[in-house]
Amino acid sequence: MECRLYCDNEKVDDKVKSEITDKLIPLGVSILESYSGFDEVEQARNINSWKPVVLEIIQAFSELDEEDFIKCCPVSYDLIIQLFDKAVINDLRIAVKDFLERVGDVYITDDKPTKK
């Protein structure tokens, strides 16, 4: 719910967005930490139950404004990479790909030499 509110620039200002990210990022990180700690054999039911939540968190992180995304990356990047240690459904793989593309857009410049 707060993720959708965050993205609605007509209803929220920067102060409200800051309040949302102050809650969203730690909560999302906590959920990703718990999810990555699940044992695939012993806790398959938990993994399946939490996949939609994890998907929503990654999508929300990917949609953050650049300043907030930069705050989010140091605490979420490794946890998102750890998702590849589990069987990853297609929707989750796409969300992770979008997140990693955003990381590339923000942290990697296009100042690479071009081949002639």
Side-chain angles (χ1 to χ4, degrees), residues 25-26 32 43 52 55 57 72 74 77 84 86 88 95 110 112:
I25 293 172
L32 290 173
Q43 296 175 303
L55 175 63
I57 289 167
C72 170
Y77 181 84
F84 289 113
K86 303 201 180 318
V88 180
D110 289 333
K112 299 175 193 162

Side-chain angles (χ1 to χ4, degrees), residues 1-2 9-10 13 21 25-26 30 34-35 38-39 41 47 52 55 64 81 87 89 93 107-110 114:
M1 176 72 129
E2 287 189 3
N9 290 326
E10 293 179 8
D13 58 17
T21 56
I25 293 172
S30 176
S34 296
Y35 183 83
F38 289 150
D39 178 87
V41 175
I47 289 171
L55 175 63
L64 293 172
I81 293 298
I89 60 171
R93 184 173 39 257
Y107 288 97
I108 300 171
T109 63
D110 289 333
T114 57

Side-chain angles (χ1 to χ4, degrees), residues 2 16-29 61:
E2 287 189 3
V16 174
K17 281 187 172 189
S18 178
E19 291 171 4
I20 292 171
T21 56
D22 288 348
K23 295 175 192 172
L24 176 67
I25 293 172
L27 177 61
V29 166
F61 284 176

Side-chain angles (χ1 to χ4, degrees), residues 48-86:
N48 287 328
S49 296
W50 281 96
K51 277 182 186 176
V53 176
V54 170
L55 175 63
E56 186 75 26
I57 289 167
I58 296 170
Q59 289 171 334
F61 284 176
S62 297
E63 294 172 4
L64 293 172
D65 293 341
E66 187 165 322
E67 182 180 326
D68 295 326
F69 186 75
I70 289 170
K71 287 184 220 172
C72 170
C73 281
V75 294
S76 63
Y77 181 84
D78 287 338
L79 294 168
I80 290 173
I81 293 298
Q82 288 176 24
L83 295 176
F84 289 113
D85 292 341
K86 303 201 180 318

